[in-house]
Amino acid sequence: MIQVLFVCLGNICRSPMAEAVFRHKVKQAGLEGVIVVDSAGTGDWHTGERPHHGTRKILDQYGIDHQSLRARQVKSQDFEQFTYIIAMDDSNVRNLQSFAPDRDKQNAEVRKLLEFAPSRGVRDVPDPYYTGNFQEVYEMVEESCDRLLAYIREAQGI
């Protein structure tokens, strides 16, 4: 089983959006039994909450299910359980290190989402919690998730 974890700061805007979009793409590709998708935040402020209303609104606009999503915090076991941990920005990558177990217990490949959309010319997905630009973030996430799925399919031979 291939497991993908999307990570942002609070797990109410970017990472649940990426989780929902990627899960939708996995389902469309007929890979639900092969790829498992989740999301988490490096902070614990929103644990148990649904995604931000802006995230829910944009996902609804594109017909992407988000009903089961609830915020949670990253835990050290995630580095053992997940095949890929996909962070939204450099700060998330740095914060992830505080959760990481010893190297010999890490199975996850940690990457940033926009590594899969280099033509965008930016390295970090901006946080719409502060910018309010959920449409721009959706477009970044959507394009990157297409390419991430292609990367995983090639890397895993599926």
Side-chain angles (χ1 to χ4, degrees), residues 24 39 61 69 75 82 97 119:
H24 183 77
S39 66
Q61 181 180 329
L69 302 182
K75 53 189 184 278
F82 286 88
Q97 296 315 306
S119 64

Side-chain angles (χ1 to χ4, degrees), residues 13-14 52 125-137 140:
C13 293
R14 297 172 291 174
H52 186 281
V125 178
D127 193 340
Y129 185 84
Y130 302 105
T131 67
N133 197 346
F134 288 88
Q135 180 63 45
E136 174 189 28
V137 170
M140 290 176 168

Side-chain angles (χ1 to χ4, degrees), residues 4-60:
V4 180
L5 179 68
F6 292 97
V7 175
C8 70
L9 183 60
N11 194 218
I12 60 167
C13 293
R14 297 172 291 174
S15 58
M17 183 186 296
E19 175 187 354
V21 168
F22 196 70
R23 183 177 287 137
H24 183 77
K25 292 180 179 300
V26 165
K27 184 177 181 178
Q28 287 180 322
L31 296 171
E32 289 173 292
V34 179
I35 300 175
V36 174
V37 188
D38 196 4
S39 66
T42 58
D44 65 354
W45 315 281
H46 301 289
T47 299
E49 292 180 22
R50 297 190 67 217
H52 186 281
H53 64 87
T55 294
R56 293 191 318 259
K57 182 178 177 184
I58 199 80
L59 292 172
D60 286 342

Side-chain angles (χ1 to χ4, degrees), residues 57-116:
K57 182 178 177 184
I58 199 80
L59 292 172
D60 286 342
Q61 181 180 329
Y62 289 96
I64 298 173
D65 181 46
H66 56 79
Q67 297 306 312
S68 66
L69 302 182
R70 296 292 181 272
R72 74 168 182 91
Q73 188 176 27
V74 172
K75 53 189 184 278
S76 62
Q77 297 91 330
D78 291 334
F79 288 83
E80 298 170 41
Q81 176 184 349
F82 286 88
T83 317
Y84 301 95
I85 296 178
I86 309 296
M88 297 298 129
D89 61 34
D90 284 331
S91 176
N92 302 148
V93 172
R94 283 190 303 275
N95 290 338
L96 278 166
Q97 296 315 306
S98 67
F99 296 94
D102 295 334
R103 291 235 179 248
D104 63 331
K105 293 184 179 179
Q106 293 184 33
N107 295 321
E109 178 180 332
V110 178
R111 305 282 296 268
K112 282 190 355 182
L113 184 63
L114 288 184
E115 289 179 36
F116 299 97

